[in-house]
Amino acid sequence: MIRKPLRPLASILKARDAGENPDVIERENIRQRHEEMRDKARSRAEGRLFIMAILFLGGFITVGARMGIVTYSEAVEPRTNYSANRIVAQRADIVDRQGRLLATNLETSSLYAQPPHMIDKERVVKELVEIFPDLDEERLIKDFTGKRKFVWIRKKLSPEQKQAVHDIGDPGLQFGDREMRLYPNGKLAAHVLGGASFGKEDVHAAEVIGVAGVEKQFDDALRDPSNGGKALTLSLDLTVQAAAERVLYGGMKLLNAKGASSVLMDVHTGEIISIVSLPDFDPNDRPRPPTQGHAADSPLFNRAIQGLYELGSTFKIFTAAQAMELGLANPETLIKTAGPLRWGKFKIRDFRNYGSQLTLTKIIVKSSNIGTARMAQVIGAKRQQGFLRDLGFFEPTPVEVVEARGAQPMLPKNWSELSTMTISYGHGISASPLHLAAGYAAIANGGKRVLPTLLKRDTPQDGPRVMSEASAAQARRMLRLVVTEGTASFGDVPGYAVGGKTGTADKPKENGGGYYEDKVIATFASMFPAHDPKYVLIVALDEPVETSGPEPRRTAGWTAVPVAAEMIARVAPLLGLRPDVEPGALPDITLTSN
């Protein structure tokens, strides 16, 4: 930078020649230099102030805009992100038809150890074993004193357990925040819900995935963030389910049964209001699948859906309904029942001698195998197959649990005339209680097939017609007579007209070598109210024995029927059905005169 000299020689010489004072020139130059410096400093300061004003204005605008956004947004609990790879484990709730909670998420903690940071490892192991008695003390000492730098101890803790571990006070014990699946009702509807477990996980979060039941069937939907956490609404009614489980458990214990199942279904919508399988389990602590023995012996086995049984005489009403639908018989048609009925080297017998002939109605009321088999001979194998296929007995039920996919009914490889005869009264074909419920629903609703569902529906199903309304109505009247006059007399419930059919089938041996002589599957398939059915109820008991009399009794009339009657008496008021009290006889009135 070139600066102007304060005493330029040329100006000084010129001023001396003119007789002027040269110092004036220096003072003037100094004044001009100071003015220039002052102008530059003022310009620099004004520029800085302008920049600062812009920055402050931008800051105020940003803060104001953020405050406005926060003011008009919903309040959300802040969550700490432990890492960029945190696993999102949020899962939607599951509720019953009334919106009551069946499954939800609960914030909990995991427990892990970092042995290099531990101070007194042996003391820590002893105190951990006191808190968690199922831990292996020797294994923990080996893990803590070895080369491992990380050891899982517990993947979920209760608040009490977390506090107890915290009181140990060792820096090598660490907690991680995560979510777990909680079933607040314990064992209630355990086989429907199935259960959940952890998928991908780290110390601070875990992915909750379904492992069975509706939890696995709807796993993607329950984990889908685009659903906005919308709850999955099931068709179950929590109070009805609780009542059904209590009654069935009491009946199973009272009748010394190995297991039991029940299905309560709306005959118009196909909604399953209650479904029970015993023994059951707590999905909060789901047991491991069995590695040996039979799957049916595990509490995880869903007898109502997975259990395939010969359901005995409950099938007879299908044979009668088809015979009436084809015009081969009417309720008063006489059919030969003299026996035994021979087919080759095989003989078909009745439980009792019912005489030489019975009407079609009496065959159902008295449960004649011979009369039913003769009807099946007239119907024929092909027509019988088509009718049972239309009712859904040739394929697994489409109910929304993963276990249903493997419940393929067991059909004879060679559907001979003998198979046609035995299948007519429920032997030679194995199906689940849920299959039976769907079949009886078609009779109850006037002849239309309905598909069982565990999802809430607001409208009836308009399924294909499998029989006429007239045939269905005649079949319902027969089922009512079974309760009032036949083998299900213990099934009559005061105030609620019940119709149904008993079935007692010998239990096949596990190795496939014939049947047990003293073990049965006792089933009662019912509908109520019988004059205008709203619901079907299936109750099945595995190896029941009624021992109140001098001899043990195993038939469904003595076992499954009383349990079903008690269940109907309990759940019918919960379903909003008012009892229909029949008026008694009026007392005689005697007229007198004064």
Side-chain angles (χ1 to χ4, degrees):
M1 179 179 179
I2 300 176
R3 301 182 63 183
K4 182 179 179 181
L6 298 178
R7 295 176 63 84
L9 181 60
S11 299
I12 294 297
L13 294 176
K14 186 177 179 180
R16 287 178 178 177
D17 292 340
E20 298 176 353
N21 186 3
D23 294 337
V24 175
I25 298 174
E26 182 180 1
R27 287 196 293 273
E28 178 66 19
N29 288 339
I30 290 174
R31 184 186 63 78
Q32 291 180 359
R33 180 177 291 180
H34 286 174
E35 288 181 355
E36 290 177 0
M37 293 171 63
R38 186 172 61 251
D39 292 341
K40 289 181 180 180
R42 181 184 294 110
S43 177
R44 188 181 301 110
E46 290 176 350
R48 290 175 178 175
L49 288 174
F50 179 73
I51 293 173
M52 290 181 64
I54 292 177
L55 292 177
F56 274 109
L57 180 61
F60 278 116
I61 292 174
T62 302
V63 172
R66 180 60 181 163
M67 291 177 65
I69 293 173
V70 171
T71 301
Y72 288 99
S73 64
E74 295 182 0
V76 178
E77 185 70 19
R79 291 174 177 257
T80 303
N81 289 324
Y82 296 96
S83 67
N85 297 323
R86 174 167 178 156
I87 301 168
V88 178
Q90 184 64 36
R91 190 176 183 87
D93 293 342
I94 301 176
V95 298
D96 80 336
R97 62 187 303 106
Q98 306 294 342
R100 291 168 292 201
L101 200 61
L102 295 174
T104 188
N105 286 351
L106 178 69
E107 292 187 359
T108 184
S109 299
S110 62
L111 174 62
Y112 60 96
Q114 295 177 325
H117 298 161
M118 300 180 76
I119 297 174
D120 189 349
K121 298 178 181 179
E122 293 185 358
R123 179 185 67 85
V124 169
V125 169
K126 290 182 179 179
E127 297 194 28
L128 284 175
V129 171
E130 290 181 1
I131 300 171
F132 309 106
D134 58 324
L135 290 179
D136 188 338
E137 184 174 352
E138 294 183 0
R139 177 73 183 183
L140 276 182
I141 292 177
K142 182 179 179 181
D143 290 339
F144 289 172
T145 57
K147 298 181 179 180
R148 298 186 62 176
K149 297 182 179 180
F150 178 90
V151 178
W152 270 118
I153 300 176
R154 272 288 187 276
K155 295 187 177 182
K156 54 185 178 182
L157 302 174
S158 68
E160 293 79 9
Q161 290 172 335
K162 182 177 180 180
Q163 183 61 46
V165 174
H166 187 272
D167 292 340
I168 295 176
D170 193 287
L173 297 177
Q174 299 291 326
F175 301 104
D177 294 333
R178 59 171 56 192
E179 289 181 334
M180 61 172 283
R181 198 63 164 167
L182 176 68
Y183 303 92
N185 303 295
K187 293 184 176 182
L188 198 66
H191 289 93
V192 173
L193 297 171
S197 183
F198 294 118
K200 297 179 181 179
E201 57 183 335
D202 60 26
V203 296
H204 293 302
E207 181 183 45
V208 181
I209 60 173
V211 296
V214 295
E215 287 276 27
K216 187 172 183 179
Q217 179 77 19
F218 296 99
D219 187 58
D220 292 339
L222 291 169
R223 296 165 57 192
D224 191 352
S226 64
N227 289 336
K230 183 180 178 182
L232 175 65
T233 302
L234 300 184
S235 60
L236 297 182
D237 187 297
L238 194 62
T239 55
V240 175
Q241 179 75 18
E245 289 191 12
R246 180 170 297 183
V247 171
L248 190 63
Y249 180 80
M252 182 182 74
K253 292 298 183 182
L254 187 64
L255 296 167
N256 310 295
K258 179 181 179 181
S261 62
S262 69
V263 179
L264 178 65
M265 192 174 89
D266 188 305
V267 302
H268 299 290
T269 64
E271 293 173 296
I272 298 173
I273 310 300
S274 166
I275 184 166
V276 186
S277 176
L278 297 175
D280 56 4
F281 62 95
D282 188 346
N284 291 299
D285 188 20
R286 182 180 170 87
R288 294 181 179 274
T291 57
Q292 58 185 1
H294 297 281
D297 295 333
S298 169
L300 298 177
F301 187 76
N302 190 337
R303 295 172 179 268
I305 295 176
Q306 294 174 279
L308 300 175
Y309 312 106
E310 290 184 341
L311 296 169
S313 297
T314 58
F315 265 59
K316 290 176 180 175
I317 194 63
F318 299 136
T319 306
Q322 186 178 16
M324 292 186 291
E325 181 69 16
L326 295 173
L328 301 176
N330 61 55
E332 302 304 321
T333 300
L334 289 172
I335 299 171
K336 292 181 180 180
T337 55
L341 176 60
R342 301 177 183 274
W343 193 94
K345 64 178 181 178
F346 300 98
K347 297 179 182 180
I348 296 176
R349 303 177 185 273
D350 279 336
F351 188 70
R352 292 186 178 88
N353 182 10
Y354 299 124
S356 60
Q357 59 182 10
L358 290 174
T359 65
L360 178 58
T361 298
K362 289 296 183 180
I363 284 175
I364 299 301
V365 172
K366 294 183 179 294
S367 197
S368 169
N369 294 338
I370 297 174
T372 309
R374 290 193 185 279
M375 281 192 296
Q377 283 182 302
V378 178
I379 292 172
K382 289 186 177 180
R383 291 194 292 192
Q384 184 188 54
Q385 290 178 40
F387 188 66
L388 293 178
R389 182 182 288 107
D390 291 342
L391 290 173
F393 285 101
F394 275 50
E395 58 191 13
T397 59
V399 70
E400 300 87 353
V401 292
V402 294
E403 293 80 4
R405 303 170 190 169
Q408 172 67 45
M410 299 173 64
L411 310 173
K413 295 181 179 179
N414 177 25
W415 201 298
S416 63
E417 184 180 5
L418 179 61
S419 297
T420 301
M421 295 163 68
T422 58
I423 287 173
S424 71
Y425 54 86
H427 289 263
I429 181 172
S430 296
S432 70
L434 187 57
H435 281 99
L436 190 62
Y440 268 65
I443 295 174
N445 66 25
K448 289 188 176 182
R449 183 185 178 186
V450 293
L451 301 179
T453 178
L454 279 165
L455 299 181
K456 183 181 179 182
R457 289 179 57 95
D458 297 322
T459 57
Q461 293 187 31
D462 188 17
R465 181 165 291 281
V466 294
M467 70 185 78
S468 66
E469 292 187 10
S471 298
Q474 291 171 333
R476 290 196 299 270
R477 284 192 286 271
M478 293 179 183
L479 294 175
R480 176 58 180 158
L481 290 173
V482 172
V483 175
T484 58
E485 302 176 8
T487 58
S489 57
F490 290 150
D492 209 10
V493 180
Y496 299 99
V498 178
K501 185 71 187 75
T502 56
T504 306
D506 292 332
K507 187 174 180 179
K509 296 180 179 179
E510 287 79 3
N511 58 10
Y515 293 84
Y516 291 104
E517 294 182 359
D518 58 350
K519 295 181 181 180
V520 301
I521 300 294
T523 308
F524 183 49
S526 61
M527 57 186 66
F528 62 96
H531 57 278
D532 183 19
K534 300 292 191 300
Y535 303 96
V536 294
L537 172 65
I538 310 297
V539 172
L541 299 175
D542 188 357
E543 301 181 18
V545 181
E546 200 279 323
T547 57
S548 64
E551 295 183 359
R553 291 173 287 210
R554 297 179 174 86
T555 58
W558 285 96
T559 57
V561 172
V563 176
E566 178 65 21
M567 193 177 295
I568 292 172
R570 295 279 190 95
V571 305
L574 299 176
L575 295 168
L577 297 178
R578 294 184 177 182
D580 185 11
V581 181
E582 297 179 358
L586 294 176
D588 293 336
I589 300 176
T590 302
L591 297 179
T592 61
S593 59
N594 294 331

